[in-house]
């Protein structure tokens, strides 16, 4: 058995810090110290990043991670950046977490991550590349050979030509290109470089510097900021270095109190088009609301780069726990001990599959366990209940005030804007003690402001200070706060916090009343509010100016919403798209098969040609034998001819040659293929022979051989034939579950044909437990096949939004509103409200248009039922959106 972890391996908050920095060292340290489970979202975004690096000389990359808060999107993006840093150390990466809808402030924070030296280096590399292109050199100097020519070195290109080419390229990506070109040119000039750098970062420069550089005083409008990012992308990639830009929490940028901001959507649309075109990679990270507010054309532009991060399945939860536990053990195993399987299922039940909450509850469960003890379902349930008792801010205020009164301590409430911020114990000219109260403190800009506020001290000795925080404090910030305050307590609902609060109150009661030095109580807060008011006023002016320029865009978007087609037209459009997608997949599968068959025929035809040459050579040897003067030579020629003829005859009679004679006629359709397969031998390795094997092998005696052949088969058409053959096996779907799960793990979805069969059992009985404990998407498939079975979704696994499809089938009751609406065929009459995210998850699961949807498996025998369910949930989404628009208009 593995060693018991020496420390709690889970983070108390379930989040990883994602500082806005481009330093490669930070990414390396993060990857080394932060456990990362290879969940689907992580694998997808890392795969896309690797594809971008592999094809860097071609197109750029575009990706979007979206899902609920706490589902692991930021962690997946940070893991991708760490992989890029490891595999391409010269790559330039920028990470930005949007705090609001102010794009100018975001631009300034983002570009400032790049030091002056790096920007100057990128500018020089850019000019070198332009000079190389103009001089006609296809490649740079050999590896290890220093470049002899600078931007205006001994290349046979005039400096004016290089600057003209630079101006053309900058003008293609930046509207106000002369200013950007001047700033880039001054980056490498001593005395001007810092001012040029400050201007490019969006910082204000003096009027004298502005006139000297020939630029404005400051970049202060969103459109110019967008041009700056597009230029930065071109600057990096033209210099031969990959460029990755990650924009996190896009919903804060795209939405204002839940309503889309048309101008910001337009800015993001421009970046989505420009960054990949300039050979950069853009990664968007958004919540479900942020994804839903994107226009349809922008979502289509993302295409396969969009990754919907769904709640954890039991297998994924086990992987997450094993990753963290074995990182603490410093081992590579997959053991989740001391958690039991029941404990994992209880974690999933309380967390709903949310990764952040699952890690929080795992931390609480480990913290509550006895030393060396197991963490089972009961312990997890108790820890989850205690975790839910952590007081909010208002409850914390009431709790502290009650404790002070219970000990007879007279404390004055200090309020700001109607909210209690602290309690003060009077003591003469200044309070003898101050208890500050705070919301949860995270490691971001707000935490930095709180840090500054709480640690600012005057030169005189301070009164006794205590800080009580509701729920959570980032460990990094907590260290600083404990240096600034006498006592810092985190109200997490634990018995330890209650004891610490009692001790704090007793300590306060023992402090004698006297004249302490005045505490700089709210001076920092007033100064902070003054700065924030100035910033808000500046942002309001920028927003008004931007809104005037984008009125036309907003009107156009409103006209498009008003021209929204009715549901019958939308349904007809979806049906047409489904038909086109299905035809395209069938054509792709057939093209793949045809190419493989043609390649096999060509190879064997070449073999037969060689045999024909051998026959000709044998004839020549026989003809030459009579003329040979020496008897041994004559017999040698005759023997060689006979051997060549015998070998040719044997090969011609072999099954391989026979299969070639049958397949050489070609197949233009599945019917032709079936005919050729009936005539061909089943031992041939060519595609037709493998297809013939799929049609003839016994599905019971040869079950395991068919399974192994299916897992090893590269051609989709042959895998489908193998799956259909396996589906007529006497083995029940219950017996085939391990092979189905193995096939899905190994990228063989055709194994689902083994599951898409009715389970033989009494109609009044539940399905076997092994079918009810499948992942949700497979439970939906089982329910479709076994319609009418009582509650097939009854399972120990957690319920997920995608299982709404089961309710639509009536498996939770034929009178359920979803079941009634589905049978009546009118989603408009459904009287219940369902979150759009749940509807979208269900439509995504059933979709015949999105990768991985059940509807993309065109070979399933119940594909028509899947299509109808998909259209039903799209109709629900349509009418829900219509209601939202009507509410907005009213």
């Amino acid at each position: 058995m593995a060693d018991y972890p020496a420390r709690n391996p889970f983070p108390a908050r379930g989040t990883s810090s994602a500082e806005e920095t481009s330093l490669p060292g930070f990414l390396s340290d993060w990857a080394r110290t932060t456990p990362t489970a290879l969940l689907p979202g992580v694998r997808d975004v890392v795969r896309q990043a690797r594809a971008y690096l592999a094809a860097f000389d071609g197109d750029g990359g575009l990706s979007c991670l979206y899902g609920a808060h706490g589902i692991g999107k930021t962690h997946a993006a940070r893991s991708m950046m760490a992989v890029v840093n490891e595999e391409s150390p010269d790559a330039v990466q920028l990470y930005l977490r949007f705090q609001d809808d102010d794009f100018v402030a975001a631009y300034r924070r983002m570009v400032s991550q790049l030091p002056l030296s790096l920007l100057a280096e990128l500018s020089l590399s850019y000019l070198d590349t332009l000079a190389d292109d103009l001089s006609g050199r296809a490649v740079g100097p050999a590896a290890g050979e220093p470049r002899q020519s600078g931007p205006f070195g001994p290349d046979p290109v005039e400096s004016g030509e290089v600057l003209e080419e630079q101006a053309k390229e900058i003008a293609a990506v930046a509207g106000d290109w002369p200013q950007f070109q001047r700033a880039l040119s001054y980056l490498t000039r001593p005395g001007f470089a810092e001012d040029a750098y400050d201007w490019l970062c969006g910082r204000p420069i003096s009027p004298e510097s502005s006139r000297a550089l020939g630029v404005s005083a400051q970049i202060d409008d969103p459109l110019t900021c967008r041009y700056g990012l597009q230029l930065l992308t071109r600057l990096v990639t033209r210099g031969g270095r990959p460029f990755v830009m990650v924009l996190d929490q896009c919903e804060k940028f795209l939405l204002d109190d839940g309503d889309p901001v048309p101008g910001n959507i337009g800015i993001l649309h421009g970046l989505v088009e420009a960054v990949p075109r300039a050979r950069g990679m853009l990664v968007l990270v958004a919540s479900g609301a942020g994804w839903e507010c994107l226009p349809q054309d922008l979502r289509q532009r993302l295409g396969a780069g969009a990754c919907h991060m769904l709640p954890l399945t039991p297998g994924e939860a086990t992987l997450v726990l094993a990753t963290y536990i074995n990182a603490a053990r410093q081992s590579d195993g997959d053991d989740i001990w001391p958690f039991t399987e029941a404990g994992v299922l209880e974690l999933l039940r309380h967390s709903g599959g949310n990764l952040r909450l699952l890690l929080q509850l795992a931390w609480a469960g480990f913290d509550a366990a006895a030393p060396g003890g197991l963490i089972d379902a009961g312990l997890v349930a108790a820890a989850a209940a205690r975790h839910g008792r952590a007081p909010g801010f208002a409850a914390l205020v009431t709790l502290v005030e009650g404790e002070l009164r219970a000990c007879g301590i007279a404390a004055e409430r200090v309020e700001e804007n109607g909210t209690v911020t602290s309690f003060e114990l009077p003591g003469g000219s200044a309070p003898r003690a101050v208890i500050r109260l705070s919301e949860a403190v995270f490691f971001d800009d707000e935490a930095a402001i709180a840090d500054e506020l709480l640690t600012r001290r005057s030169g005189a000795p301070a009164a006794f200070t205590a800080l009580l925080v509701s729920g959570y404090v980032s460990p990094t910030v907590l260290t600083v706060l404990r240096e600034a305050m006498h006592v810092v307590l985190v109200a997490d609902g634990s018995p330890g916090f209650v004891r610490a609060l009692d001790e704090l109150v007793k300590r306060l009661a023992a402090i004698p009343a006297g004249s302490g030095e005045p505490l700089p109580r709210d001076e920092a807060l007033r100064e902070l509010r003054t700065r924030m008011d100035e910033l808000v006023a500046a942002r309001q002016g920028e927003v008004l100016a931007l809104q005037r320029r984008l009125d036309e865009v907003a009107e156009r978007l409103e006209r498009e919403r008003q021209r929204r087609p009715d549901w019958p037209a939308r349904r007809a459009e979806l049906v047409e798209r489904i038909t086109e997608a299905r035809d395209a997949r069938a054509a792709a599968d057939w093209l793949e098969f045809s190419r493989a068959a043609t390649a096999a025929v060509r190879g064997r035809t070449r073999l037969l040609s060689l045999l024909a040459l051998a026959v000709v050579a044998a004839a020549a040897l026989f003809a030459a034998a009579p003329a040979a003067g020496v008897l041994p030579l004559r017999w040698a020629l005759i023997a060689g001819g006979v051997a060549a003829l015998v070998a040719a005859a044997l090969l011609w009679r072999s099954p391989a040659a026979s299969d070639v004679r049958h397949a050489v006629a070609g197949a233009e359709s599945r019917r032709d293929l079936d005919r050729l397969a009936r005539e061909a031998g089943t031992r041939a390795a060519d595609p037709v022979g493998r297809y013939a094997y799929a049609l003839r092998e016994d599905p019971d005696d040869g079950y395991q051989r068919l399974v192994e052949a299916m897992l090893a088969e590269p051609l989709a058409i042959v895998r489908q034939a193998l799956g259909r053959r396996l589906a007529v096996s006497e083995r029940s779907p219950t017996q085939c579950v391990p092979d189905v799960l193995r096939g899905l793990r190994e990228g063989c979805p055709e194994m689902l044909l083994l599951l898409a069969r009715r389970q033989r059992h009494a109609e009044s009985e539940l399905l076997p437990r092994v079918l009810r404990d499948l992942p949700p998407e497979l439970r939906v498939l089982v329910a479709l096949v076994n319609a009418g079975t009582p509650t097939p979704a009854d399972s120990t696994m957690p319920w997920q939004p995608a299982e709404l499809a089961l309710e639509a089938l009536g498996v939770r009751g034929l009178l359920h509103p979803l079941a009634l609406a589905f049978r009546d065929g009118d989603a408009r009459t459904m009287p219940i409200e369902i979150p759009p995210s749940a509807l979208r998850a269900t439509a995504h699961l059933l979709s015949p248009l999105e990768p991985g949807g059940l509807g993309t498996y065109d070979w399933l025998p119940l594909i028509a039922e899947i299509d109808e369910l998909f259209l039903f949930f799209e109709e629900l989404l349509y009418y829900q959106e219509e209601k939202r628009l009507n509410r907005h208009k009213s």
Side-chain angles (χ1 to χ4, degrees):
M1 183 176 290
D3 296 334
Y4 201 90
R7 60 173 179 82
N8 195 328
F10 303 101
R13 190 61 185 174
T15 58
S16 59
S17 60
E19 289 80 353
E20 293 179 348
T21 176
S22 62
L23 297 177
F26 170 80
L27 294 171
S28 301
D29 293 341
W30 186 92
R32 186 172 59 254
T33 59
T34 304
T36 299
L38 294 180
L39 299 175
V42 177
R43 293 198 302 268
D44 285 348
V45 75
V46 168
R47 174 181 51 78
Q48 293 171 22
R50 283 175 170 154
Y52 163 68
L53 295 176
F56 174 64
D57 292 335
D59 297 332
L62 183 61
S63 180
C64 179
L65 294 166
Y66 69 97
H69 290 292
I71 209 70
K73 305 183 296 294
T74 298
H75 195 118
R78 184 59 80 183
S79 299
M80 179 272 297
M81 296 181 70
V83 170
V84 171
N85 178 67
E86 179 183 358
E87 299 190 359
S88 181
D90 62 337
V92 176
Q93 301 190 79
L94 295 180
Y95 172 85
L96 174 76
R97 178 189 295 171
F98 282 112
Q99 299 175 358
D100 48 32
D101 59 355
D102 188 347
F103 189 63
V104 177
Y107 168 83
R108 292 169 181 169
R109 298 202 318 273
M110 188 183 304
V111 181
S112 297
Q113 296 176 28
L114 302 178
L116 169 59
S117 58
L118 179 57
L119 271 181
E121 178 187 347
L122 292 172
S123 181
L124 287 174
S125 299
Y126 181 34
L127 292 173
D128 283 346
T129 302
L130 292 176
D132 287 351
D133 290 347
L134 290 174
S135 64
R137 292 199 302 271
V139 294
E145 180 184 341
R147 183 184 291 275
Q148 299 299 322
S149 60
F152 310 110
D155 281 315
V157 179
E158 296 293 334
S159 61
E161 294 181 58
V162 178
L163 292 177
E164 288 179 6
E165 187 66 21
Q166 183 192 41
K168 292 178 184 178
E169 293 203 359
I170 295 178
V173 296
D176 196 6
W177 63 268
Q179 291 197 98
F180 283 108
Q181 187 181 27
R182 296 187 196 109
L184 288 178
S185 65
Y186 280 106
L187 272 179
T188 57
R189 300 189 186 184
F192 298 95
E194 291 187 1
D195 288 332
Y197 175 73
D198 286 342
W199 186 85
L200 286 169
C201 292
R203 302 167 186 163
I205 59 177
S206 66
E208 294 78 12
S209 298
S210 175
R211 287 192 295 272
L213 298 180
V215 297
S216 61
Q218 186 181 15
I219 297 177
D220 58 1
D221 68 277
L223 189 59
T224 306
C225 292
R226 196 194 90 188
Y227 291 153
L229 291 180
Q230 293 173 188
L231 173 62
L232 179 61
T233 307
R234 178 62 63 91
L235 197 68
V236 175
T237 58
R238 285 287 274 143
R241 303 173 70 164
F243 178 71
V244 178
M245 184 193 311
V246 179
L247 304 180
D248 199 355
Q249 296 189 359
C250 289
E251 65 276 5
K252 293 185 178 180
F253 175 63
L254 301 174
L255 298 173
D256 181 16
D257 290 334
D259 294 326
V261 182
N264 290 351
I265 292 176
I267 289 173
L268 186 64
H269 202 298
L271 290 175
V272 165
E273 293 296 334
V275 172
R277 188 166 57 242
R279 295 167 54 206
M281 181 174 183
L282 178 63
V283 180
L284 308 178
V285 183
S287 66
W291 170 258
E292 289 171 6
C293 82
L294 294 179
Q296 186 64 30
D297 64 323
L298 187 52
R299 284 194 249 179
Q300 291 175 350
R301 175 68 178 83
L302 286 163
C307 175
H308 188 183
M309 300 187 68
L310 297 172
L312 298 175
T313 65
E316 292 167 352
T318 301
L319 172 63
V320 170
L321 295 178
T323 300
Y324 277 84
I325 291 173
N326 290 295
R329 293 180 180 135
Q330 296 185 353
S331 65
D332 297 327
D334 56 0
D335 190 5
I336 60 171
W337 185 77
F339 282 88
T340 65
E341 292 185 6
V344 175
L345 295 178
E346 192 71 10
L347 282 175
L348 275 173
R349 190 173 73 84
H350 285 282
S351 67
N354 184 283
L355 177 57
R356 180 184 300 170
L357 184 54
L358 182 132
L359 289 175
Q360 292 174 8
L361 295 179
W363 181 89
F366 194 95
D367 192 55
L374 288 176
I375 306 174
D376 56 13
L379 184 62
V380 170
R386 191 189 71 182
H387 185 270
R389 291 195 298 268
F393 184 77
L396 179 62
V397 173
T398 303
L399 176 64
V400 173
E401 189 171 26
E403 289 287 336
L404 292 173
R405 287 181 178 178
C407 286
I409 300 175
E412 299 177 358
R413 294 162 59 112
V414 179
E415 297 186 4
E416 287 288 339
N417 296 328
T419 302
V420 177
T421 58
S422 62
F423 290 96
E424 296 182 352
L425 276 62
S429 60
R432 69 180 188 272
V434 175
I435 305 173
R436 291 190 179 276
L437 305 176
S438 172
E439 298 275 9
V441 181
F442 301 94
F443 195 85
D444 52 19
D445 287 351
E446 288 78 13
I449 293 173
D451 235 2
E452 180 183 0
L453 173 63
L454 295 170
T455 57
R456 188 176 295 173
R457 298 288 188 87
S458 63
F464 180 84
T465 57
L467 173 66
L468 273 68
V469 184
S470 171
Y472 173 77
V473 179
S474 166
T476 307
V477 179
L478 184 61
T479 302
V480 178
L481 294 179
R482 283 178 171 160
E483 294 176 357
M485 316 293 286
H486 293 98
V487 174
V488 179
L489 299 181
V490 182
D492 56 4
S494 65
F497 165 72
V498 176
R499 290 192 297 269
L501 180 59
D502 290 339
E503 293 174 1
L504 172 62
V505 173
K506 292 177 183 178
R507 184 174 178 181
L508 292 174
I511 296 177
S515 57
E517 293 292 338
L519 185 71
R521 301 184 331 218
D522 295 322
E523 298 168 359
L525 182 60
R526 285 194 293 270
E527 179 183 345
L528 176 62
R529 291 195 173 279
T530 301
R531 288 167 49 202
M532 291 298 294
D533 290 342
E534 293 174 353
L535 181 59
V536 168
R539 288 179 179 175
Q540 287 176 346
E542 294 170 359
V543 168
L544 290 175
L546 176 62
Q547 191 62 49
R548 285 193 298 270
R549 290 193 295 269
L550 294 173
D551 281 345
E552 182 180 350
V553 176
E555 292 175 3
R556 178 173 57 82
L557 291 175
E558 182 63 28
R559 288 195 299 269
E560 290 177 357
R561 282 196 293 268
Q562 292 174 353
R563 292 197 302 266
R564 194 163 177 256
D566 56 10
W567 170 246
R570 172 64 177 158
R571 179 187 171 94
E573 177 190 344
L574 284 172
V575 170
E576 183 178 357
R577 288 179 57 199
I578 291 171
T579 303
E580 292 176 354
R582 201 152 277 157
D583 291 343
R585 288 192 290 267
D589 290 347
W590 183 254
L591 179 61
E592 175 192 43
F593 182 88
S594 298
R595 287 176 174 172
T598 301
V601 170
R602 287 176 178 172
R604 293 184 180 175
T605 302
R606 285 194 295 269
L607 174 63
L608 294 180
S609 299
L610 292 175
L611 294 177
L613 289 176
V615 172
V616 172
L621 290 173
F622 283 132
V630 182
L631 186 60
L633 178 59
R634 184 182 306 169
W635 282 111
L637 292 174
I638 292 173
V642 170
L645 284 177
V646 170
L650 291 175
L651 287 173
W652 178 250
R653 298 287 297 174
S654 68
S658 176
D659 286 338
V660 169
R661 291 201 300 275
H662 289 302
V664 91
E668 300 297 332
S669 66
R670 291 291 184 96
R671 181 178 298 178
D672 293 342
L673 178 58
D674 290 337
R675 175 182 55 81
L676 288 174
R678 286 193 297 269
E679 298 173 356
T682 60
R683 295 188 178 183
D686 64 88
V688 175
R690 300 200 300 271
Y691 189 86
Y693 171 74
L695 298 183
R696 300 179 189 177
E697 179 62 67
D698 187 281
D700 293 311
D701 294 340
Y703 175 84
Q704 200 57 46
R705 292 191 297 272
L706 282 169
V707 168
E708 297 301 328
M710 192 171 177
L711 293 173
E713 177 57 50
L715 299 179
I717 285 181
V718 180
R719 289 199 304 270
Q720 293 161 21
L722 289 165
R724 286 191 294 269
R725 189 63 175 169
L726 281 169
V728 300
S729 169
E730 290 296 325
R731 295 183 180 225
S732 67
T734 302
Q735 296 172 298
C736 298
V737 165
D739 294 317
V740 171
L741 297 179
R742 178 189 173 192
L744 294 179
R745 287 195 304 269
E746 298 185 18
C748 182
E750 289 82 3
M751 279 290 186
L752 289 175
L753 285 164
L754 290 172
L755 203 61
R757 299 177 294 149
R758 190 171 183 84
Q759 173 70 24
R760 294 184 293 275
H761 68 294
E763 294 297 335
S764 60
E765 296 176 357
L766 293 177
L767 286 173
R769 172 62 67 181
V770 68
L771 294 181
R772 287 181 283 140
D773 285 350
L774 286 168
E777 61 274 14
L778 300 188
R779 292 207 294 269
V780 171
L781 186 62
V782 171
L784 280 167
V785 180
N786 297 274
T789 301
T791 59
D794 179 24
S795 169
T796 60
M797 301 301 177
W799 183 87
Q800 291 192 9
E803 293 196 65
L804 285 170
L806 296 177
E807 295 181 353
L809 292 170
V811 298
R812 290 194 176 92
L814 296 177
L815 297 181
H816 190 283
L818 265 177
L820 290 173
F822 180 60
R823 290 202 309 276
D824 294 342
D826 189 359
R828 188 196 299 266
T829 62
M830 194 185 68
I832 63 175
E833 289 287 336
I834 300 176
S837 58
L839 292 178
R840 181 61 61 190
T842 308
H844 180 85
L845 168 67
L846 300 167
S847 176
L849 303 174
E850 299 184 41
L854 289 178
T856 61
Y857 303 146
D858 309 323
W859 27 263
L860 286 174
L862 38 85
I863 197 68
E865 290 87 341
I866 293 174
D867 286 349
E868 284 303 317
L869 269 176
F870 168 72
L871 293 170
F872 169 68
F873 282 99
E874 284 291 333
E875 186 177 4
L876 290 177
L877 281 166
Y878 176 90
Y879 286 123
Q880 193 169 76
E881 175 67 12
E882 186 176 68
K883 291 177 183 178
R884 189 188 71 80
L885 290 176
N886 289 336
R887 285 197 301 267
H888 178 73
K889 291 176 182 177
S890 61

